Amino acid sequence: MVKKNYHIETELVLSKSDDQHNASVPPLYQSATFKQPSLHNMGDYDYTRSGNPTRTFLQNQICRIMKANHAFAVTSGMGCLDVITRLLSPGDEVIAGDDLYGGTHRLLTYLHNKGDIKLFHHDTTNTELIKSKISKSTRMIFLESPTNPLMKVCDVKSITKHAKEVNPDIIVVFDNTMMSPILMTPLDLGVDIQYESGTKYLNGHHDIMAGIIATRDTKLAEKIYFVINSTGCGLSPFDSWLLCRGLKTLSVRIEKQQQNCYKIAEFLNNVGFKVRFTGLKNHPQYQLHNSMCKGAGAVLSFETGNIKISEKIVESTEIFGIAVSFGCVNSLISMPCLMSHASIDAKTREEREFPEDLIRLCIGIENCDDLIDDLTKALLKSGAVKLNSKDELFNAVALQSKL
Ligand SMILES: *Cc1c(COP(=O)(O)O)cnc(C)c1O
C-alpha cells in the first residue's frame, strides 16, 4: 500500500502511475484480454472482467483518498449494493435506515420480498432506538447520513460501536454518496464497508455511471472481489479512465458547490422557507453532522407548503435543470416525490412524513448571484414569494396559511 502522507487535495491530482513511458495521465487500456508472457506465467492481467490496469490505477487512488486498504470500482452505485448484499446468506437479518436512497430501498425490499433477507427499517436518527434493535441475529446494517432529500443525520460512530459490542461479525455498511471523501471518511468512524455512487460527486460531470466500494478488511475485500469477478460488474476501462479524470477536480468542485449551497440555504431560510440543510444552525442535528463531516455538501431541500406552487417553481427556473441525481458541476432542481423518490410508494412516503411539496436543489459551480437571481424569479413567478413595499422578498404562502 502507498504511504498516506499527503492531504486528499494533493492525492487527487498526484499521478502515481508506473507507466513504462511515464505518461502524465494514466493510460487507457481499452483491451478485454492480455497476452500471457508464457504458458505457465499468467502475468498481472489476463481478462478485463478480472482486472484491468486502468481500473487498478483508479482503485489505488481511491484507496488513498478514502483511507481504505481495498477499493473496487463497479458499474454504478446500485451495482455496489448488489455486490454487498451478495455477502448475505438466505434469511439473514438486515437493519436499514427508514430514509435510504430510493434505489437502495427498492433493491433491499426486492430481496426481502423474495425471502432472501429479513429486512427491518428503523429511524436511524434515534440512536437509542436503533441500538435497541441490534441483536445477535443482526447480520448487516445499512446507514446513510445525511439522507437525501430529508437530510436526516445518524450517529455513525455510536451505532457502529454498539453493533460491534453486540457482535463483532455484524457488517456495518455506509453509503457516503452525499458527502464524498472530501467531507467525510466513514471508515475512520468504524464502518466495515463504505460505498459511493461515482456517478455523483466523484465523477462530477454526469457523463458516466460508476460505483465505488471500499474497506479496510481483507477478508471482506476477498469476498467482494469474488462477486465482482464472478458477475462481471467491474467498471469498464474507459469509464475508469473518465472517473480518474473527474476525480482530479473533486476538491475544487465540492468547495465551490458547497460555498454556493451555503449562500442559497441562507437566502431561502431568510425568505422564510423551511430549509433542510446540515449547514444551517437550525438543523436539528447540526452539531452531530459537523462532528463527523467537514461541511454540509451541496444538496438542500425546502418546502413551499403547496404542491402546485412547488411544481411552478421547478418549471420556472432557467439555470437549474430539471433532473434527478446530484454532484454535477451544473445546478439541478427536482421534486423528489415525482422523480427520484417515485420508486417509494406514496403510502410509505406518508408514513415517513415525506413532504410531497419538497423541492430539492443540487448546487453546481455557477456564479452564485446568477443562481439566486434565477431562483428569485421562479419564486416570484410561482407566487411563493412577494415583494413588500421596501422591495424585500417575503414568503407569501406562509403568510397566507397564518391568516
Ligand atoms: C445515486 C445514489 C445511489 C445510486 O448510485 P447510482 O450510481 O445511481 O447507481 C446510491 N446512494 C445514494 C445516496 C445516491 O444518491
Side-chain angles (χ1 to χ4, degrees), residues 4 29 38 41 48 115 126 152 169 184 192 268 302 362 393:
K4 296 179 209 127
Y29 284 89
S38 69
N41 178 355
T48 283
N126 186 339
K152 290 190 181 179
D169 291 337
M184 189 173 186
D192 300 288
L268 292 169
F302 69 102
C362 307
L393 293 170

Side-chain angles (χ1 to χ4, degrees), residues 173 184 196 261 299 303 333 369 401:
V173 181
M184 189 173 186
E196 239 169 82
C261 198
V299 178
E303 288 160 54
I333 190 166
D369 294 339
S401 53

Side-chain angles (χ1 to χ4, degrees), residues 76-78 101 144 148 175 177 197 199-200 209-210 326:
S76 72
M78 285 300 98
Y101 175 71
E144 227 179 284
N148 145 42
D175 179 340
T177 308
S197 166
T199 317
K200 315 286 170 62
M209 302 284 306
F326 59 86

Side-chain angles (χ1 to χ4, degrees), residues 107-139:
L107 180 53
L108 292 178
T109 303
Y110 171 74
L111 295 174
H112 173 80
N113 291 343
K114 273 194 345 138
D116 290 357
I117 61 170
K118 289 201 197 97
L119 177 64
F120 302 96
H121 287 290
H122 298 294
D123 177 1
T124 44
T125 60
N126 186 339
T127 311
E128 290 316 310
L129 171 86
I130 192 106
K131 277 185 181 173
S132 74
K133 299 292 180 186
I134 299 171
S135 76
K136 287 235 181 296
S137 40
T138 308
R139 188 75 193 101

Side-chain angles (χ1 to χ4, degrees), residues 297-317:
V299 178
L300 67 77
S301 60
F302 69 102
E303 288 160 54
T304 65
N306 182 313
I307 299 177
K308 288 279 164 260
I309 288 186
S310 292
E311 288 179 1
K312 193 95 190 270
I313 295 170
V314 171
E315 289 183 331
S316 303
T317 52

Side-chain angles (χ1 to χ4, degrees), residues 154-186:
C154 69
D155 188 341
V156 183
K157 211 169 172 174
S158 300
I159 296 170
T160 306
K161 187 165 166 275
H162 180 79
K164 296 288 161 184
E165 280 163 12
V166 173
N167 176 3
D169 291 337
I170 294 178
I171 302 171
V172 182
V173 181
F174 188 82
D175 179 340
N176 194 38
T177 308
M178 279 282 279
M179 287 291 101
S180 93
I182 296 287
L183 301 177
M184 189 173 186
T185 309

